[in-house]
Amino acid sequence: MRIALLLGLLVLAFPGHALTIAAASSLRQVMPELEAAFRQQRPDSPVRVIYGASGKLATQILNGAPYDIFLSADETYPTHLAEQGASTTDPEPYAIGRLVLWHRDPQRAPLVPEELAGSDIRRIAIAQPRHAPYGQRAREVLQALNLWQTAEPRLVYGENIGQTAAMVESGAADAGLIAWSLTFTPELADRPYTLIDQKFHSPMTMAMVITRRGADQREAQRFHDFMLSTDARAILEQYGFEAPEED
C-alpha cells in the first residue's frame, strides 16, 4: 500500500513524464502496435501501459490510481466510472471483442463447446467472472449451452484473461474460453480454437474513458482520438477485434 502511494505521488509530481493507460489484458498483444502507430504521430509522447482485469482496473481508478485513459474489455466498467464522476468523457466504444474455445494440444482438432462435457477435459480455464468481462461472457456461454452444471466443478479461474490463456498454454488447464486476440502470437498460432458464436453471450463492446486525472493530460485526448481512427481500427482488426457499430 505504501509503495503504491509513493508511486502515485511520483507520477503526480511529474505529470508530463508519460501518458499512463490502464488496458484490459485482452489488449496485451495488440497494444505494442497501437503504441508504435501513435508514437509515429506523436514521437515526443511516451506511453506507459498497465494491464489487468477491467473490473480491477476500474476499482483502482476509483481509488485514485494515476491512470489517464481506461481501455476496458466491455462497457460496464467505463459506464460505472462515468456514473461515479471518475471520468471526464462518456464511454466511447472502440472495438468488439470475441471469445474462443481453445485447447492446449496442437494436434487435436478444434473443440466445439459441447465437448467440454467430456471426461477427457478435466480442467477448464475461464477468467474470474467477478471482475473480468471475458469470464462473465464465458459463464454466459456455458449457461446458454446447458453446460454450466457439468463444467463448474472443473473450472479453474485466471485473475484476468491473460492469466487464463497462460493456464491453457502451460497445461494447467486442458481447455479454456479466452480472448481471440490472445491467440495472435507465433507461439500460439498452431493451437486449435473455435470462435464462439456471439448469440451465446451478451455483446463484448469494448469502451474507453479519459479519467479525471487525464483531463489535464493533453496526450490523453490525442490517444483517445487515435483509438477511433481508421489506423487504430485496422490494427485492432488484425488481432481479432471487430469494429463497433456506428450510431
Side-chain angles (χ1 to χ4, degrees), residues 47-235:
V47 175
R48 177 190 299 113
V49 183
I50 307 298
Y51 298 100
S54 295
K56 287 197 168 185
L57 292 172
T59 298
Q60 291 169 13
I61 292 168
L62 288 171
N63 289 330
Y67 305 145
D68 300 306
I69 296 182
F70 175 37
L71 303 179
S72 177
D74 74 357
E75 292 181 302
T76 303
Y77 296 108
T79 298
H80 181 61
L81 292 185
E83 291 171 348
Q84 296 297 312
S87 71
T88 59
T89 60
D90 292 330
E92 182 74 53
Y94 63 91
I96 303 292
R98 297 296 304 271
L99 194 67
V100 299
L101 175 57
W102 192 43
H103 194 274
R104 67 181 178 87
D105 183 0
Q107 305 304 316
R108 180 167 180 159
L111 291 176
V112 295
E114 289 77 9
E115 290 181 89
L116 292 175
S119 59
D120 59 324
I121 308 296
R122 296 169 299 166
R123 292 179 296 276
I124 305 163
I126 68 171
Q128 178 52 255
R130 287 198 301 270
H131 49 245
Y134 278 93
Q136 295 161 11
R137 300 323 189 273
R139 180 173 59 192
E140 290 175 11
V141 169
L142 294 172
Q143 291 171 339
L145 294 171
N146 295 316
L147 294 170
W148 180 256
Q149 187 172 358
T150 302
E152 187 179 16
R154 291 180 282 163
L155 292 179
V156 290
Y157 298 94
E159 282 301 297
N160 55 61
I161 198 62
Q163 187 181 101
T164 306
M167 293 169 75
V168 183
E169 182 183 7
S170 68
D174 301 300
L177 286 158
I178 70 165
W180 188 19
S181 59
L182 296 181
T183 68
F184 285 75
T185 65
E187 297 82 7
L188 308 183
D190 61 345
R191 300 293 184 96
Y193 67 81
T194 300
L195 194 62
I196 299 297
D197 193 319
Q198 295 176 92
K199 70 182 181 183
F200 294 123
H201 62 78
S202 54
M204 185 79 78
T205 303
M206 307 175 74
M208 61 182 166
V209 290
I210 297 175
T211 67
R212 289 182 63 84
R213 178 181 180 274
D216 297 325
Q217 168 67 280
R218 187 179 303 173
E219 296 307 302
Q221 184 63 54
R222 287 173 173 152
F223 192 86
H224 176 279
D225 294 344
F226 164 74
M227 286 296 293
L228 301 177
S229 70
T230 55
D231 288 346
R233 287 186 172 171
I235 294 170

